[in-house]
Each structure stands twice: as C-alpha cells, then as structure tokens.
C-alpha cells in the first residue's frame, strides 16, 4: 500500500526550550509500513502535548474539517521523524487498511530538538459522495525505523443533515452558524388523523412561519403507529408523511416526538407493550423497532431535524441513571438507520435535577441535545430539591398562575441545568413551556422566560400551537392570541 507524502509542507512550530530543525525532503512513497491497529503513542520522549482537536464535531457533506495536534520532545536528545499525518477513516475503515482519507498538509522528515514542540494543522473537504456516519480521526507519525505511532482516536460525524450540534449550541447549520429555533408543539390531533388519514394543511402551517416562527414539534402517539407488535398502521404513516411535507413546504423545521408519554406516564405505551414494570421498562423492552421504523421513514428528510426520543419518561424517583442507559440503547439503534440526525433526550418527567446524573452512561454524545420542559413559576430557589425532584410553583396544568415576579428564581431553574450540562458538553433546548390564558401574571411570566431563553441562546417550542385548550397560542379559527408577540421579542 502507498501513501503520498508531499514536499514543502507548511507547519507551525512552537518551541518550549530551543528551536527545532525542520527538514522537508523530496516527495516519497511509503510501502507496507502503515500500522495494523493502534501502535504506541510516543517514541522515547516524543509525546502529545496538545491532543488532537477538531474544528467541529459534525461536518456537513461538502464542507471542510480542520484538525490540530502538537507533539513535544521531552528527551535530552534530538528526535527525527519521517512523517506526521492527521488521518481520518470512514465508517468501517481501519488504520492499516484504509481508506486513507488523510488531511493535508502532512509533515515530512523533521528533527525536533529537546524541549521543542511541533504543531500540525491540516484540513480536508468531505464530498457529498463520501459515506455519512461516524468517522474516526487520529494523528500518527513514522519514526526513524519506519514504524508508525498512532494517537488515541477522536470521532466526528459526516452528515447530510441541515443541522448538527456544537456545544453550547443545539442547532448549527452547514455554515457553522447557530440557528435559534422558535416555534410550537403540535399535538397529534392537530397534525394528522391516524384513523382516516387526514393531514394538516400547508396553509395552516404557514400561519406559523408568517407570524415569524420557524419550528414545530410533532407529538406522536406510539400506539397509533404500532397498534400490534410489529404491525404498523400505514394510514397513520401516510398521514404523518403528508403532514411533514406540508410543514416543510410552509418553511418549518420539524422535530418528531415519537413516544409522547403523558398523564404521568400512564398514557402513550401501546397496550400490547404494557406489562410488568413501568413505562421505562416497557420502552426499553419494546420501543426500538418502532423508533427504527420512524428513522427509516425520515432519514432522508432534512427538514425533520431531530428525534425527541421519549417525552417525559415517568418514574417514582428522579433517577436519571436508570434512563440514561435506555437512551443509549435507543440512540444506538436509531443510528443504525439514521446515523447523523440530532437526537433529543429528556430528564425524568421532562424536568428534574441532574446533580446525580452519570452521563458516562450515555455512550455517544455526538449530536445529542438535552431538553428542558420549563413550567417553573418560582416559590423555590431553583425549583429542585436535593434529590432532583421538582419543587415550588409550576404552571403546566393550564390553570395555575405566576404568584409573584421572581425572575432570579426562573433563571436559576435554567442555569442549574445548563451548568451541569456544561460539564459534559451537552447543549440544551426548551422543548416545552407555557401557561394558561388569563392566569395571574400571564404576560409577565412569558416576558421573563423569553428574556432568559434569549440570554442563553436557547431554542424553544411553546406548548401549544393550536387547540381549544387554555394554553393554545391560536384560536380555533387559526388566528393568533394577542400575547403571542411576547414569544418573538429578540
């Protein structure tokens, strides 16, 4: 096998003790000296002083990735290397067998003096014809004995999707700019009918975009689509597919919430899946084929930008560590069908503390967003007790109001979650928030919440878009209620 090493490579060299001599040799080829598997990370005193970093965790097809790594000679003698490369491998590729999708430039023969460092920064554009999915990146150098030494690997996604995550931003477009979603939740009954095949019209969805919003979260009932185990309701599928197409035509980004548990977790699981244990057990045991079916339907639809995997999982305690392995299993299963769409995960009950959450139980954090359902209305320092259980005043029932102006408490309810997510690099999105018409301090609560969400650049979807309920943003004739403009304040 051969890998071409180009002459005249430009590098950035930083010197800790003394200068290092850089020698660029003639163009040469390497025969049969690519390592099989992971070799040693260093030769003697040559160590990685700044690990490999990537410019983004997701590359949209047609865009470029830049990576940077720094090595240091910690020995007392000069060290000569024959080549330094930042390598990438597609899904299924290997270090020794390729394909050799390396970044450029590469570094040719170089002598690194004691104490000196050498930094290589290289880039590559990933074309639309290359595999999508999880790619591997690592740095590797060839020593004077023609042995390659591979660094630990890091991973990135090559995606055809409109959005990817880049902490702290939940939705980042192909140009690398954060896009703030602002929209609504839409119940199944206002989106499609699984029995007669009715779908919401483009014209009605267009009332959302014409008002200035850009997103909609479809809340779906699992039992409507899989009434019997392994048997899918084609009428419901056709109606949902049409509704998605109509929302797309209206200019909306769509988040699918395929398992919308409600009524404290007692509604949402098909009767055939109900059995021993709670809905977490039932979802863990039975939901993956349905989620994979949904992924197969929308994996090639870029305007379906995310799957909100399970709505408000219900347990008797706020034990995130019981749900995180279930999420890990479900996300891995979804990504066997749709490898690069964003997956949104929710805490227990949609809103609970994360102090005890062990996020190492989540095996893959690429393109993962954490959702907050924020109906907190004060009456407590931050809305959680020591066990993470919600305490204080809440307005989710549509009849409770905002007792008094406590914006500091509202903000802490958000920042206590954001601070914990920052420790693991997960971005956040407000999947639900809202309160009923005419309750105490209705407009004040919306004003203060909107200001908080804007301050932390949080995308959000209000509960709810259109219904006869007290929390609906529209009247039954699809006209807007006067307070809706408060949700659009920049």
């Amino acid at each position: 096998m051969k890998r071409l090493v180009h002459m005249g490579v430009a590098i950035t060299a930083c010197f800790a003790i003394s200068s290092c001599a850089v020698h660029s040799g003639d163009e040469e080829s390497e025969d049969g000296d690519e390592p099989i598997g992971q070799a040693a990370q260093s030769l003697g005193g040559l160590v990685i002083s700044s690990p490999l970093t990537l410019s983004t965790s997701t590359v949209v097809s047609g865009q470029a990735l830049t990576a940077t790594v720094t090595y240091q000679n910690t020995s007392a003698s000069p060290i000569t290397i024959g080549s330094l490369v930042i390598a990438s491998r597609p899904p299924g590729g290997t270090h020794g067998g390729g394909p050799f999708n390396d970044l450029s430039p590469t570094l040719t023969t170089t002598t690194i003096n004691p104490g000196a460092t050498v930094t290589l920064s290289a880039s590559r554009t990933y074309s639309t014809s290359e595999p999508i999915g999880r790619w591997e990146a690592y740095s590797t150098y060839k020593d004077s004995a023609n042995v390659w030494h591979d660094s630990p690997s890091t991973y990135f996604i090559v995606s055809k999707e409109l959005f990817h995550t880049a902490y702290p931003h939940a939705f980042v477009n192909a140009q690398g700019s954060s896009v703030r979603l602002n929209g609504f939740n839409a119940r199944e009954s206002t989106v499609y009918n699984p029995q007669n095949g009715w779908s919401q019209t483009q014209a009605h969805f267009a009332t959302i975009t014409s008002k200035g919003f850009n997103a909609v979260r479809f809340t779906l009932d699992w039992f409507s689509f899989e009434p019997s185990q392994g048997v899918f309701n084609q009428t419901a599928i056709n109606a949902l597919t049409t509704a998605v197409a109509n929302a797309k035509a209206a200019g909306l980004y769509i988040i699918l919430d395929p398992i919308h548990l409600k009524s404290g977790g007692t509604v949402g699981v098909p009767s055939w899946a109900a059995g021993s244990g709670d809905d977490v057990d039932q979802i863990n045991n039975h939901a993956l084929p349905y989620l994979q079916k949904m992924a197969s339907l929308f994996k090639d639809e870029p305007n379906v930008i995310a799957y909100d995997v399970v709505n408000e999982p219900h347990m008797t305690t706020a034990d995130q560590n019981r749900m995180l392995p279930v999420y890990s299993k479900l996300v891995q299963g979804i990504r066997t069908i749709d490898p690069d769409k964003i997956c949104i995960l929710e805490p227990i009950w949609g809103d609970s503390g994360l102090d005890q959450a062990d996020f190492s139980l989540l095996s893959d954090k690429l393109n993962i967003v954490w959702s907050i359902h924020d109906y907190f209305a004060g009456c407590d320092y931050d809305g959680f007790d020591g066990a993470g259980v919600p305490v204080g005043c809440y307005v989710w029932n549509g009849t409770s109001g905002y007792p008094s102006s406590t914006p500091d408490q509202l903000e802490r309810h958000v920042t206590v979650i954001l601070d914990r997510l920052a420790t693991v690099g997960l971005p956040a999105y407000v999947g639900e928030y809202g309160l009923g018409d005419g309750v105490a301090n209705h407009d004040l609560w919306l004003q203060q919440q909107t200001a908080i969400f804007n301050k932390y650049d949080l995308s959000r979807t209000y509960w709810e878009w259109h219904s006869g309920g007290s929390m609906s943003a529209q009247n039954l004739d699809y006209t807007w209620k006067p307070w809706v403009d408060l949700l659009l304040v920049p």
Side-chain angles (χ1 to χ4, degrees):
M1 76 191 71
K2 295 188 177 183
R3 190 216 310 254
L4 207 59
V5 179
H6 301 283
M7 63 183 297
V9 171
I11 66 168
T12 301
C14 305
F15 306 102
I17 300 177
S18 59
S19 65
C20 68
V22 178
H23 309 286
S24 293
D26 293 332
E27 189 174 81
E28 62 179 19
S29 64
E30 303 166 7
D31 291 299
D33 52 8
E34 180 74 18
I36 304 298
Q38 185 104 331
Q41 294 178 32
S42 64
L43 171 66
L46 189 61
V47 301
I48 295 175
S49 57
S50 294
L52 184 69
T53 59
L54 307 181
S55 58
T56 180
S57 61
T58 299
V59 180
V60 178
S61 296
Q63 302 297 312
L65 172 76
T66 299
T68 304
V69 67
T70 299
Y71 287 79
Q72 184 175 26
N73 180 359
T74 60
S75 74
S77 302
I79 294 175
T80 298
I81 60 174
S83 185
L84 175 60
V85 177
I86 296 177
S88 74
R89 299 289 183 268
T94 64
H95 289 206
F100 298 102
N101 303 120
D102 298 336
L103 285 65
S104 62
T106 61
L107 175 64
T108 55
T109 303
T110 302
T111 298
I112 308 168
N113 285 333
T117 62
V118 59
T119 297
L120 176 62
S121 182
S123 300
R124 184 177 188 275
T125 297
Y126 291 81
S127 72
T128 55
S129 63
E130 291 185 290
I132 62 171
R134 191 172 188 254
W135 285 60
E136 177 187 14
Y138 61 97
S139 62
T140 183
Y141 71 87
K142 182 174 66 173
D143 65 24
S144 57
N146 287 336
V147 175
W148 287 89
H149 300 261
D150 299 351
S151 76
S153 294
T154 189
Y155 298 89
F156 62 97
I157 295 292
V158 174
S159 170
K160 64 181 181 304
E161 299 293 340
L162 292 178
F163 295 110
H164 61 278
T165 66
Y167 180 82
H169 305 297
F171 302 99
V172 177
N173 65 18
Q175 290 72 46
S177 299
S178 174
V179 176
R180 185 188 295 169
L181 303 187
N182 192 357
F184 296 93
N185 284 270
R187 297 192 197 193
E188 179 180 80
S189 59
T190 62
V191 172
Y192 64 93
N193 187 304
Q195 280 75 47
N196 65 22
W198 168 84
S199 300
Q200 185 58 268
T201 67
Q202 177 184 338
H204 286 155
F205 282 128
T207 63
I208 301 175
T209 47
S210 64
K211 186 65 174 174
F213 298 94
N214 62 3
V216 65
R217 176 178 179 251
F218 287 177
T219 68
L220 313 179
D221 289 328
W222 176 12
F223 55 80
S224 293
F225 291 91
E226 192 179 10
S228 301
Q229 187 170 13
V231 178
F232 294 97
N233 179 354
Q234 194 61 46
T235 300
I237 288 172
N238 292 344
L240 174 61
T241 302
T242 299
V244 166
N246 289 342
K248 176 183 178 179
L252 290 168
Y253 302 121
I254 302 131
I255 295 170
L256 295 183
D257 163 23
I259 303 179
H260 190 75
L261 302 178
K262 43 192 178 287
S263 300
T266 61
V267 176
V269 175
S271 58
W272 61 263
S276 60
D278 56 16
D279 54 61
V280 175
D281 293 317
Q282 293 151 13
I283 288 168
N284 185 46
N285 293 335
H286 300 292
L288 183 54
Y290 163 64
L291 293 172
Q292 290 177 319
K293 177 68 172 180
M294 284 293 169
S296 71
L297 293 172
F298 298 105
K299 62 184 177 66
D300 296 321
E301 177 47 72
N303 273 61
V304 173
I305 62 171
Y307 306 120
D308 191 337
V309 180
V310 181
N311 180 76
E312 299 182 359
H314 184 77
M315 291 170 38
T316 56
T317 66
D319 183 7
Q320 316 294 348
N321 297 332
R322 181 168 166 233
M323 193 64 201
L324 286 169
V326 177
Y327 279 141
S328 189
K329 169 187 170 179
L330 298 178
V331 169
Q332 287 178 6
I334 289 169
R335 288 184 170 164
T336 64
I337 307 297
D338 190 350
D340 50 0
K341 207 179 293 292
I342 292 170
C343 286
I344 297 171
L345 309 181
E346 302 184 16
I348 304 303
W349 310 310
D351 188 19
S352 49
L354 302 179
D355 285 351
Q356 306 304 316
D358 179 4
F359 283 100
S360 69
L361 298 171
L362 196 60
S363 60
D364 187 355
K365 298 181 182 66
L366 288 173
N367 278 346
I368 296 293
V369 171
W370 195 260
S371 178
I372 305 167
H373 289 189
D374 189 359
Y375 296 98
F376 181 59
C379 310
D380 185 75
Y381 181 77
D382 62 11
F384 302 116
D385 69 12
V389 176
V391 293
C393 298
Y394 287 80
V395 295
W396 54 264
N397 61 9
T399 58
S400 298
Y402 184 25
S404 60
S405 179
T406 53
D408 54 336
Q409 294 179 359
L410 300 187
E411 185 170 0
R412 280 194 295 269
H413 191 71
V414 172
T415 58
V416 71
I417 298 298
L418 297 184
D419 290 347
R420 178 66 180 94
L421 295 176
T423 66
V424 291
L426 285 179
Y429 141 78
V430 181
E432 294 182 18
Y433 71 110
L435 76 173
D437 284 333
V439 299
N441 295 314
H442 175 278
D443 289 6
L444 180 62
W445 187 84
L446 289 179
Q447 290 169 338
Q448 293 178 354
Q449 290 287 61
T450 298
I452 292 165
F453 300 158
N454 288 344
K455 179 178 179 178
Y456 297 98
D457 194 27
L458 292 173
S459 292
R460 62 269 196 172
T461 43
Y462 183 87
W463 187 274
E464 59 183 327
W465 169 43
H466 180 87
S467 76
S470 67
M471 299 175 76
S472 175
Q474 283 190 339
N475 300 302
L476 287 177
D477 63 358
Y478 292 93
T479 58
W480 294 98
K481 295 179 179 178
W483 50 261
V484 169
D485 288 337
L486 298 173
L487 309 181
L488 291 166
V489 175

